[in-house]
Every structure is written in C-alpha cells, then in structure tokens.
Amino acid sequence: MRINILGVGFDNVTLDQAVAEGMRLMHTVGAHYVVTPNPEIVEVCREDQEAMETINGADLVLADGIGVIYGAKLLGTPLKERVPGIEFAQALMERMAQGGEGLFLLGARPGVAEQAAQRLQSRYPGLRIVGTHDGYFQEDGPVVEAIRSAAPAVVFVCLGAPKQEKWMRKNGPATGAGLLVGLGGCLDVFSGEVQRAPEAFQKLGLEWLHRLLKNPSRIGRMMKLPLFLLHVLGERGCRR
Ligand code: UDP
C-alpha cells in the first residue's frame, strides 16, 4: 500500500528494494515508469490534475526529497528512507552493467547526454548505452523512433517535471523499452556540468540549500517547500 502525502502515493521502499523492483519491472512485459517526486512536484500535482494522475499511475513512486520524508513523518505514516532519483539511477546502472541491458539517455541541452554517456561508460564498465537524444525537440515521433530502433531495456527521461512524467506515460509503450525513469536534472550531473551537493549537505538533508546557493534563480520554485509543509500541517489537522 502506498503512503499518501497530499494526494501523491509514495512507495514505502528502501533504495535496495526500489532497485530490485526496477530490475523486475524492466524484465516484465510492457512499458513501466518510475517517478521521483519531491515536495515541489507534490505542490505542482495539487494544481495539475493530469500531473497528479500521471505520478500516481507510475509503477514506482520514490520519495526523492527530504521534505517528503518529513511530511510522511508529520502525518504519522513514516517512509522507510529517502530514495533520491540519482542514487536509484546509479544503483540501477551498476546492475545493468552486470546484466548487459541497454540504456538510452534522453534529455538536457544538446551535447549533455553524449557527454554523460561517455562519463557513465567509464564509471560503470560494461554499461551498454545504446543511444542519446537532447531534450529540446518539437515532435515526439522521431524521438520515439530513435529510441525504438536503439532497442534499450531502460530510458532515463530528463526533461524536468512534470513534463518528463507526462512524456513517459504518453510515449512509454511506443518506445519498446521495459522501464522509463524520470530523473530531472540528472544528466547535467552525470555529464559533469553540474555538481551534486557535497556529502555533508546530503547527509543533513540540505541538498536543496546547496542547489539554491549554486543557482539563486531557483528561489521561486523553492518557495513551494514551506508551502508543502504548511499543507502537510493542515492535512495533519484534518486527519486528527
Ligand atoms: N530540460 C529538457 N527539455 C525541456 C526542459 C528541460 O531537456 O524542455 C532539461 C534541462 O535541460 C535539465 C532538466 O531538464 O537538464 C531539468 O532539470 P531541473 O534541475 O530543473 O530538474 P529537477 O531535477 O529539479 O526536476
């Protein structure tokens, strides 16, 4: 059963359990997709019914942000642990490098996915990256066709939320891939263009602060975090 936080149902899994489930889904007939919402996305879902349906319709909903963990705790239904999308992706690539499953990278500015592919291939020896495409295209058809002909088992879809989730739901089956994972800005990190927060920030749950300091223009988006906590407190009042 999923844990409901302001209408979004989160799977109560550890990182290891999430990766095991990802591997299972990848080898199960049909297209499956994984989403990694943070508090900002939960707030977007509250105002965008299609986004809410798309997120809840995913095969795996992972708690990406520390705010989600606090929210679950405040509501009296704690989640086992935070499962950041980037860590899920890294653990999945380790397993895929052993199993030989193909990976396609979709998203980010032109050139970034190719650069990410090069770095990932040297970081995960044996990882088979079968194709890349940037995230600034007008029509889905040619992109779907490029993925289909590369025949990956998995596609990392990095178009920002909720665009990437809607894209996966609409186009997933036509790509022929078994698993699509929405990963926001991960290709920027994998390519080396953007640094992930130092470990100390990660451990303290302050990764959001690091992103804000590096990129102050995110302040508008980040204001959704206190709003999220206010809504959680309101919800807690209603549930009591
Ligand atoms: N992006 C894209 N196509 C678009 C809009 C965004 O490929 O039409 C990419 C953008 O270049 C960036 C990623 O999507 O690499 C979104 O990154 P952001 O850090 O905003 O995502 P978050 O992880 O916060 O969802």
Side-chain angles (χ1 to χ4, degrees):
M1 215 185 59
R2 287 182 167 167
I3 292 198
N4 180 346
I5 304 180
L6 304 179
V8 174
F10 286 87
D11 285 296
N12 191 13
V13 288
T14 62
L15 175 62
D16 287 349
Q17 289 169 335
V19 173
E21 179 62 2
M23 293 302 294
R24 190 188 71 77
L25 290 168
M26 179 190 310
H27 293 118
T28 306
V29 177
H32 308 88
Y33 65 97
V34 181
V35 297
T36 60
N38 56 21
E40 186 190 327
I41 310 304
V42 174
E43 284 300 315
V44 168
C45 287
R46 285 165 59 84
E47 281 161 22
D48 177 344
Q49 191 55 32
E50 190 194 344
M52 182 69 99
E53 281 167 20
T54 305
I55 298 261
N56 282 328
D59 296 273
L60 204 45
V61 183
L62 303 177
D64 184 78
I66 191 71
V68 175
I69 299 298
Y70 285 141
K73 214 184 224 170
L74 282 169
L75 290 171
T77 49
L79 284 156
K80 285 180 187 156
E81 68 182 19
R82 189 163 85 96
V83 184
I86 193 161
E87 288 177 22
F88 174 76
Q90 288 165 334
L92 199 68
M93 285 188 284
E94 251 171 51
R95 295 279 298 268
M96 290 173 67
Q98 293 158 12
E101 292 93 354
L103 173 65
F104 193 103
L105 305 179
L106 170 63
R109 291 185 318 283
V112 173
E114 285 88 336
Q115 206 179 321
Q118 278 182 12
R119 285 177 55 130
L120 291 173
Q121 255 153 353
S122 55
R123 181 162 170 196
Y124 302 96
L127 181 65
R128 217 160 51 78
I129 298 185
V130 296
T132 60
H133 196 291
D134 71 82
Y136 293 86
F137 49 87
Q138 301 305 319
E139 287 171 43
D140 293 346
V143 179
V144 169
E145 199 37 52
I147 298 173
R148 197 173 181 81
S149 54
V154 180
V155 187
F156 287 172
V157 184
C158 304
L159 306 172
K163 185 175 178 177
Q164 63 202 9
E165 287 76 11
K166 292 178 182 175
W167 197 92
M168 293 191 293
R169 180 161 83 154
K170 178 169 169 232
N171 298 295
T175 63
L179 190 72
L180 298 97
V181 189
L183 289 168
C186 282
L187 288 181
D188 297 323
V189 177
F190 292 149
S191 70
E193 296 242 320
V194 169
Q195 307 294 318
R196 203 180 164 200
E199 215 160 299
F201 279 76
Q202 291 179 33
K203 286 212 171 108
L204 291 168
L206 293 175
E207 206 157 355
W208 59 272
L209 179 62
H210 181 264
R211 290 182 99 177
L212 182 61
L213 293 174
K214 285 271 167 196
N215 190 352
S217 65
R218 291 180 82 95
I219 188 71
R221 293 173 56 176
M222 295 229 168
M223 285 317 287
K224 289 215 157 84
L225 185 61
L227 199 61
F228 168 82
L229 289 171
L230 274 179
H231 287 146
V232 166
L233 289 172
E235 172 71 19
R236 184 169 76 160
C238 291
R239 285 193 196 175
R240 274 185 171 170

